[in-house]
Amino acid sequence: TLLVHWVPLVECTMLTGVVAVFHDISDIRHMEKMRRDFVANVSHELRTPITIIKGYAETLLRGALEHPIQANKFVSIVHSHADRLASLVSDLLTLSQLESGAVPLDATSVQVHDTAQHVVALLEQKIRERGIRVDLTGLEGAPCVMADPGRLEQVIVNLLDNAIKYTPTGGSVTLRSTCEGGNVTIAVQDTGIGIPSKDLPRIFERFYRVDSARSREAGGTGLGLSIVKHIVQLQGGTVSVQSSGQGSTFFVTLNRAETSDSAALAPTTAQ
Ligand code: ADP
């Protein structure tokens, strides 16, 4: 779309001509549309749990409280939707912090294996409940990467959490690393439901989901992968995904840290 401005050329008080200035405003329009879509998505995502919480609270106040079994069920529904709201608000805050650059990212040498172990400990209950096997042996001896430790942890939490969410009971998730030149690539591979090829190009967009109902049911906000992408790009890295029918693998490539720590420099045992 071209926006044309006619600018009069004035010399002293005499009009001597006009110049046409062309601005390509398709980018501006596109950004404006993305902003409107985002606001609409946020409103929708927030309104759904609020409506549910309000509805069940009203039902409880109108008498369901007197029936303990029913009341118990309704309160737990309220609780789970309040949890959902909290995750959504927390993810939105993270995204806005990342986008505004309000919180500068640290860049220190981080041990990938230690970080992954910590994440597995954080998600231990979920991993156990879902009956998924998580294998970190491919990260042993991985070189350190240059990253913000808290943000790298968040990247691995989001990828591992997705791998667990979208892998049926009995499946497995494998983390490994490979090293090439000055880069370290961390791969998170699962044996789960996979991602159709038509959805792969859009999977890192905010609120883009293959199956919204399934994502919500699993406690997803639709923002996890866009947070991953933002963090990795802010650290000068890249993210990508591969999926063919069954299972998915997410790859995060970051700069290898210059370190004198011999353990950290040991060759990777990646498979
Ligand atoms: P969500 O909170 O919905 O999981 P994400 O941004 O983390 O949001 O992921 C976006 C979508 O990508 C998910 O809704 C799901 O459809 C798909 N997805 C992400 N990770 C996986 C995975 N490991 N296996 C299958 N699908 C996945």
Side-chain angles (χ1 to χ4, degrees), residues 83-148:
D83 259 356
R84 201 177 140 53
L85 264 184
S87 310
L88 203 57
V89 170
S90 155
D91 279 357
L92 284 169
L93 276 174
T94 305
L95 257 189
S96 103
Q97 271 178 357
L98 291 168
E99 281 180 348
S100 70
V103 183
L105 266 65
D106 213 356
T108 50
S109 172
V110 189
Q111 286 271 8
V112 179
H113 186 248
D114 288 358
T115 308
Q117 268 184 324
H118 183 62
V119 171
V120 170
L122 287 177
L123 299 178
E124 196 192 338
Q125 194 187 346
K126 215 170 188 176
I127 293 170
R128 208 172 341 105
E129 279 170 6
R130 305 265 305 126
I132 307 281
R133 201 172 66 85
V134 179
D135 181 4
L136 297 186
T137 48
L139 286 181
E140 282 165 10
C144 290
V145 294
M146 284 306 282
D148 180 300

Side-chain angles (χ1 to χ4, degrees), residues 195-224:
I195 302 164
S197 51
K198 69 170 176 42
D199 296 296
L200 285 173
R202 300 195 60 191
I203 214 77
F204 292 95
E205 286 176 22
R206 296 182 288 197
F207 293 120
Y208 190 83
R209 291 132 156 165
V210 176
D211 179 344
S212 301
R214 184 172 199 147
S215 153
R216 288 199 190 94
E217 212 174 281
T221 61
L223 296 172

Side-chain angles (χ1 to χ4, degrees), residues 232-233 236-240 251-254:
V232 174
Q233 287 184 340
T238 56
V239 278
S240 59
F251 301 93
V252 170
T253 301
L254 290 166

Side-chain angles (χ1 to χ4, degrees), residues 163-221:
I164 298 164
K165 270 190 320 205
Y166 302 110
T167 298
T169 300
S172 63
V173 182
T174 308
L175 275 78
R176 60 196 149 81
S177 77
T178 48
C179 189
E180 207 185 309
N183 292 327
V184 177
T185 299
I186 305 161
V188 181
Q189 179 170 23
D190 64 56
T191 59
I193 59 172
I195 302 164
S197 51
K198 69 170 176 42
D199 296 296
L200 285 173
R202 300 195 60 191
I203 214 77
F204 292 95
E205 286 176 22
R206 296 182 288 197
F207 293 120
Y208 190 83
R209 291 132 156 165
V210 176
D211 179 344
S212 301
R214 184 172 199 147
S215 153
R216 288 199 190 94
E217 212 174 281
T221 61

